[in-house]
Amino acid sequence: MKIGILGSGEVGRRLGKGCIDLGHHVMIGTRNPEKKEIQEWLKDSNSKNKAFVGTFAEASAFGDLLIIATLWSGTENAIDLAIPTNFKDKIVVDTTNPLDFTKENLPQLSIGFDKSAGETIQSILSDSKVVKAFNIVGNPHMIKPDFPSGPPTMFICGNSEDAKKTVIETLTNPFGWETIDLGGIEQSRLLEPLAMIWINYYLITGSGNHAFKLLKK
């Protein structure tokens, strides 16, 4: 599959490398293709000639499946630069959390509980199939998470059953996650505050070596 990723930060580069390792072709879209980190990613990931870098518009046109991995503050602008018509009828994986870093204490949700980033992106990309995923864990553990208690749980949500099935079969399960579908995209109102628990615990402990797991009996 061809996968386009909007955002060249740690999340975008990590997911991009994971997708390449699964055999997919990946193009990362960025405002600055020449920056050091993305050129190092390209060099490290391109042993199989499956890694590419381009503009946001080039990445969105390239991908059969698209991943949004931008900071929330730049997400709408990134979508505009990527040309919204390039998203039409495609699966769009939303990894974002709407974080506000302007306060002096811990980051806060800029929207939440009666609205969410996932719903906002779905409303902007009304002709796309948005699936919320990968927002509840730090990027070092997104691919092949290794915990003593076994695979952690990746909660996802979205309005398209087929799109969620594709994300599970193409990404989350091959990446080593147990995946649980919570329902429609409005469940992002739960997943984004859940990410705040992960973030706050990270800031308190100074360690990102934790993830969520749903226990069943």
Side-chain angles (χ1 to χ4, degrees):
M1 180 178 288
K2 291 182 178 179
I3 296 178
I5 299 178
L6 304 189
S8 56
E10 292 181 347
V11 172
R13 299 197 309 272
R14 179 66 172 149
L15 289 174
K17 179 63 164 57
C19 290
I20 289 168
D21 288 343
L22 292 177
H24 303 297
H25 292 75
V26 174
M27 178 180 286
I28 287 184
T30 176
R31 292 177 175 84
N32 182 12
E34 299 304 319
K35 74 177 182 178
K36 177 182 177 182
E37 294 85 356
I38 193 64
Q39 286 300 314
E40 289 178 349
W41 174 86
L42 187 61
K43 181 179 178 181
D44 293 341
S45 303
N46 211 22
S47 60
K48 300 177 182 177
N49 296 318
K50 293 183 178 181
F52 309 92
V53 175
T55 65
F56 286 131
E58 288 170 337
S60 63
F62 173 87
D64 303 313
L65 179 149
L66 303 176
I67 298 174
I68 297 178
T70 52
L71 290 175
W72 179 243
S73 58
T75 297
E76 289 196 41
N77 179 248
I79 292 173
D80 286 341
L81 292 174
I83 307 175
T85 53
N86 284 343
F87 296 77
K88 184 177 174 59
D89 297 327
K90 294 181 180 179
I91 297 171
V92 178
V93 178
D94 166 31
T95 74
T96 68
N97 284 307
L99 300 180
D100 178 1
F101 294 97
T102 61
K103 306 292 191 301
E104 292 184 1
N105 53 2
L106 298 176
Q108 307 291 318
L109 287 174
S110 59
I111 56 176
F113 305 111
D114 59 354
K115 193 177 180 182
S116 66
E119 291 170 286
T120 300
I121 291 173
Q122 180 63 86
S123 67
I124 295 171
L125 300 173
S126 58
D127 293 329
S128 303
K129 303 166 186 177
V130 177
V131 178
K132 191 82 179 184
F134 297 106
N135 76 302
I136 59 169
V137 70
N139 72 84
H141 296 295
M142 288 181 174
I143 312 300
K144 302 296 182 182
D146 183 13
F147 289 88
S149 57
T153 304
M154 178 63 68
F155 297 105
I156 70 169
C157 65
N159 294 337
S160 169
E161 298 300 322
D162 289 341
K164 288 184 287 188
K165 182 179 179 183
T166 296
V167 169
I168 291 170
E169 293 178 349
T170 304
L171 299 178
T172 58
N173 283 4
F175 284 164
W177 289 88
E178 172 194 51
T179 310
I180 291 181
D181 176 6
L182 293 182
I185 195 63
E186 71 278 0
Q187 299 304 314
S188 296
R189 301 179 193 181
L190 301 179
L191 292 183
E192 291 162 18
L194 182 61
M196 292 303 301
I197 296 178
W198 191 98
I199 293 167
N200 286 355
Y201 190 69
Y202 165 74
L203 293 173
I204 290 169
T205 63
S207 171
N209 290 325
H210 52 278
F212 298 109
K213 186 174 181 65
L214 186 67
L215 302 180
K216 295 173 271 188
K217 63 182 293 185

